[in-house]
Amino acid sequence: MRIHLTSVFVDDQDKALRFYTDVLGFTKKTDLPLGADRWLTVVASEDPEGTELLLEPDGHPAVKPFTSALMEDGIPAAAFAVDDVRAEFDRLRGLGVRFTQEPLTTGPVTTAVLDDTCGNLIQLVHSA
């Protein structure tokens, strides 16, 4: 068994697609109309057949209170592995990305947390 698909709720699918592809570097995998919204997924550019991230519309009534509470408490909605947290922090900050936590090393793990501009905090993580 392995993870095939996971999701983050986003407040604007077009804005999310631009951020996740143009800024974070993911590649669009699927973009299908689904009523008023889309089935919109991205994948790691280095692994086009890997786990898909669904940029899921936040229209369900339970979503806004949930995502707002996570944001207010500083809890990331997802974690993405990177080879070098400091290098990604520097690259993304240079692109104007807002971080709520600068790189922090705790034992063998280094993390940083960014705002995806679509309603989520995302953690970058590297385990030594």
Side-chain angles (χ1 to χ4, degrees):
M1 188 178 304
R2 64 188 181 278
I3 298 171
H4 170 71
L5 175 81
T6 190
S7 64
V8 290
F9 292 109
V10 298
D11 57 15
D12 181 317
Q13 286 186 300
D14 289 323
K15 181 172 73 168
L17 181 61
R18 284 190 303 275
F19 184 83
Y20 280 79
T21 57
D22 297 345
V23 177
L24 296 185
F26 289 98
T27 300
K28 180 171 64 171
K29 172 89 176 198
T30 308
D31 188 352
L32 300 171
L34 191 62
D37 298 307
R38 295 150 46 202
W39 183 264
L40 181 60
T41 68
V42 296
V43 293
S45 296
E46 306 82 29
D47 190 12
E49 299 307 314
T51 304
E52 293 179 55
L53 178 67
L54 175 63
L55 304 177
E56 189 164 356
D58 68 355
H60 187 281
V63 172
K64 294 257 192 213
F66 173 71
T67 56
S68 293
L70 290 179
M71 184 72 84
E72 287 172 21
D73 289 345
I75 299 171
F80 301 150
V82 297
D83 292 331
D84 184 333
V85 171
R86 173 57 68 179
E88 278 301 301
F89 172 82
D90 291 340
R91 180 183 78 81
L92 294 171
R93 184 170 251 175
L95 294 172
V97 173
R98 184 178 79 81
F99 280 80
T100 61
Q101 178 203 305
E102 295 196 8
L104 174 67
T105 300
T106 307
V109 177
T110 302
T111 61
V113 178
L114 63 89
D115 181 338
D116 78 350
T117 74
C118 304
N120 304 289
L121 296 177
I122 302 295
Q123 183 176 64
L124 304 180
V125 62
H126 174 78
S127 298

